């Protein structure tokens, strides 16, 4: 974010209810992070304030509107305060289970570590992606 959005600022840790973290892509070896509506699940992350210029930069980086679309969501700060936020959600054409590169996965894991975000959901997303892909081989 420091490079893409130098004027962005962290508000703090936040959770998104009824969504799950997934690893998806258009091809099986091009997995990137995604969120999908899933009742009873939670996605942990960081809430940022961004400028219009930041949003334009993120749009280019995230491949909006072809790879990701924008969705208005409500996230909750650690103290329970709700915030209306924008999230990027992968388009249906690209949201098939896909394994990420080792470097990409390690980068996300490092970001989680630096920001004290629980890494168990990321590990679970990797395991679930692998399981879905292996289960589909025999069909």
């Amino acid at each position: 974010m420091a490079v893409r959005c130098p004027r962005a600022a962290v508000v703090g840790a936040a959770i998104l209810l009824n969504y799950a973290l997934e690893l998806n892509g258009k091809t099986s070896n091009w997995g990137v992070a995604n969120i999908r509506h899933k009742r009873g699940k939670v996605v942990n992350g960081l809430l940022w304030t961004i400028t219009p210029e930041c949003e334009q930069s993120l749009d280019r980086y995230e491949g909006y509107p072809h790879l990701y679309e924008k969705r208005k969501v409500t996230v909750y700060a650690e103290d329970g305060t709700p915030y209306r936020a924008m999230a990027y959600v992968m388009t249906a054409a690209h949201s098939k289970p896909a394994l990420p590169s080792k470097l990409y996965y390690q980068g996300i894991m490092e970001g989680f570590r630096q920001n004290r975000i629980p890494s168990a959901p990321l590990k679970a997303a990797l395991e679930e992606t692998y399981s879905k892909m292996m289960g589909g081989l025999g069909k």
Side-chain angles (χ1 to χ4, degrees):
M1 283 292 279
V3 172
R4 287 184 289 280
C5 304
R7 294 181 58 205
V10 173
V11 175
I15 60 168
L16 175 60
L17 302 176
N18 296 311
Y19 276 79
L21 180 62
E22 294 186 346
L23 296 166
N24 298 136
K26 191 170 187 176
T27 62
S28 63
N29 61 345
W30 184 75
V32 292
N34 187 30
I35 57 171
R36 175 159 333 274
H37 188 264
K38 201 165 194 177
R39 193 163 196 73
K41 296 292 184 176
V42 174
V43 175
N44 297 81
L46 289 178
L47 178 63
W48 295 79
T49 58
I50 60 172
T51 66
E53 294 80 18
C54 290
E55 186 170 349
Q56 289 176 349
S57 176
L58 288 170
D59 286 351
R60 284 188 300 275
Y61 179 78
E62 298 295 351
Y64 171 80
H66 305 290
L67 179 59
Y68 287 95
E69 60 189 22
K70 296 180 198 179
R71 190 165 297 163
K72 292 289 185 184
V73 296
T74 300
V75 298
Y76 296 88
E78 290 177 302
D79 66 1
T81 302
Y83 289 90
R84 200 74 177 133
M86 180 270 294
Y88 289 96
V89 178
M90 195 171 286
T91 61
H94 293 88
S95 59
K96 296 167 182 57
L99 294 172
S101 71
K102 186 175 182 178
L103 185 63
Y104 179 85
Y105 182 83
Q106 288 173 339
I108 294 175
M109 191 63 78
E110 178 60 17
F112 279 25
R113 186 194 66 73
Q114 288 176 6
N115 293 287
R116 296 182 198 91
I117 297 171
S119 62
L122 179 60
K123 292 174 186 174
L126 183 64
E127 290 172 12
E128 185 174 329
T129 300
Y130 184 77
S131 178
K132 285 179 182 177
M133 292 176 68
M134 293 301 107
L137 290 179
K139 296 180 182 178

